[in-house]
Amino acid sequence: PAPQPQSARFHHGELLEARRVQVRCQSVLKCHISDHCIAELQCPTSTDNVGGATFLPANAGTTGTGYCILGWTGSATRACNDNGQWAATATTSCTRISCAATTKENAAFPQTESLTTATGSCVDGYTGTPQATCLASGTWGNVAPGCALKVCAQLADDVNNVVWPATNAFATATVTCSSGYVGSPSRQCLSSGSFGEVTGSCVQLKCAAGSFENANWGLTNAGATATGWCVSGYSGAPKRDCLITGEWS
């Protein structure tokens, strides 16, 4: 039934309008003595990313459905309370997308949430502080900075009378023996960036011992000058060069 007209005190010059109205107000409506009810309470658009989602306006006393923000997947729901305020937490939430652990461009990265930059570790034989971003789609972006291959620095080898050149990790360095020596030594540059053991060696050439022009000559290193001794019946101090090729002059 229609409510009866209400009386009210009012001051001089103040207009008060009262009409007979027939309304049926729900608990979430507020009625005025007029010909209308004010709009139903609503929770506004929510951008606080609760539950990994954005929620559009929803009527008070209902449950809103949100759509997942970038980097999240699934669906989310959240209660819009009777006072027009969103609940502090979501009823159901979206799931954060993540990138699986992987080895990429000589760098190992752990499982990482979307839109997050991870710092990886270089694989054996490489060095650096690699970084990569897990994209919103759950795939890895480019590695920057990357990992650099380790290098064995140039190294002098007095034993073999050679100099080992700078060599990349996992590669094998081979050197040519100096003049007066023969051989083909090699050694690997290890993953640590240091040289391993030498395989082979440089052996110095020698002129063989023997007799020549009434003199005896001992075994002599290539590049050296030998002093011989005269055979019986001869005298003097003969000298002779052992060439760099290991042959007598």
Side-chain angles (χ1 to χ4, degrees):
Q4 297 298 316
Q6 299 183 19
S7 60
R9 295 182 180 180
F10 57 94
H11 300 286
H12 179 73
E14 179 181 1
L15 175 63
L16 176 65
E17 179 181 2
R19 300 179 182 176
R20 291 177 180 269
V21 295
Q22 182 173 354
V23 295
R24 184 176 183 182
C25 295
Q26 299 177 1
S27 61
V28 294
L29 302 181
K30 293 183 178 180
C31 296
H32 286 201
I33 301 176
S34 184
D35 57 357
H36 69 282
C37 291
I38 63 172
E40 186 173 17
L41 291 176
Q42 282 190 327
C43 292
T45 298
S46 168
T47 57
D48 53 9
N49 298 339
V50 169
T54 295
F55 293 88
L56 297 178
N59 291 334
T62 65
T63 296
T65 300
Y67 57 91
C68 299
I69 61 176
L70 190 67
W72 296 67
T73 186
S75 62
T77 57
R78 188 179 183 186
C80 176
N81 296 327
D82 289 346
N83 60 0
Q85 299 293 320
W86 288 107
T89 59
T91 306
T92 59
S93 300
C94 295
T95 302
R96 185 74 175 266
I97 296 172
S98 64
C99 294
T102 189
T103 298
K104 179 184 173 106
E105 297 179 26
N106 301 309
F109 294 95
Q111 180 174 323
T112 303
E113 292 183 337
S114 60
L115 304 178
T116 303
T117 297
T119 298
S121 56
C122 295
V123 299
D124 198 31
Y126 290 78
T127 183
T129 307
Q131 291 187 322
T133 298
C134 178
L135 305 179
S137 60
T139 57
W140 288 102
N142 294 330
V143 179
C147 294
L149 189 63
K150 291 181 180 179
V151 177
C152 292
Q154 178 178 291
L155 179 65
D157 182 353
D158 295 334
V159 173
N160 287 288
N161 195 31
V162 296
V163 176
W164 298 98
T167 305
N168 288 337
F170 307 114
T172 299
T174 301
V175 293
T176 301
C177 295
S178 302
S179 296
Y181 291 79
V182 64
S184 183
S186 63
R187 69 194 308 185
Q188 187 180 39
C189 177
L190 306 178
S191 62
S192 60
S194 59
F195 280 112
E197 296 296 324
V198 177
T199 299
S201 63
C202 289
V203 178
Q204 190 170 33
L205 295 171
K206 296 179 182 294
C207 293
S211 296
F212 180 73
E213 294 187 356
N214 303 310
N216 294 314
W217 307 94
L219 185 66
T220 304
N221 289 336
T225 299
T227 299
W229 61 97
C230 297
V231 297
S232 179
Y234 289 81
S235 64
K239 294 184 181 297
R240 191 180 187 193
D241 291 332
C242 178
L243 303 179
I244 202 70
T245 58
E247 298 174 327
W248 288 108
S249 63

